Amino acid sequence: MEGLEIDVRSFDIPRLVTVYPDRAGVRWWTKAWFNNKEEGEPSVEISRQTAVGFLKEEIGKETMLEKYYPKQMEACRNAIEQTREQLIRQLNASV
């Protein structure tokens, strides 16, 4: 049991982030969805440079989420850690 490693990706929380401009293409926004919730999080205004960097994959999804949705990301990390701890307790109890 000591060397047991849990792959947290097997019970990860789905996260989606996107960027989009206003109709004039002047202001840019990011929006995120956590745990497949339909409504998503409120949009956050971002710089054009950040939007282009994200679209060109120079800025990663996790980086965007950490910067613009830090409370939600903390909740995700906490939920994953709690699930991991529960799984370990269950495995230890069954041994």
Side-chain angles (χ1 to χ4, degrees), residues 17-33:
V17 64
T18 189
V19 297
Y20 60 93
D22 63 2
R23 288 186 182 187
V26 175
R27 297 171 70 189
W28 285 81
W29 304 85
T30 185
K31 184 165 179 68
W33 293 262

Side-chain angles (χ1 to χ4, degrees), residues 14-20 29-34 40-44 46 50 54-55 59-69 73:
R15 298 173 304 281
L16 174 68
V17 64
T18 189
V19 297
Y20 60 93
W29 304 85
T30 185
K31 184 165 179 68
W33 293 262
F34 291 86
E41 299 298 319
S43 296
V44 176
I46 60 174
T50 299
F54 179 75
L55 293 170
I59 300 173
K61 173 178 86 170
E62 297 300 314
T63 301
M64 290 287 286
L65 291 170
E66 286 289 348
K67 182 170 184 176
Y68 297 105
Y69 299 95
M73 289 297 287

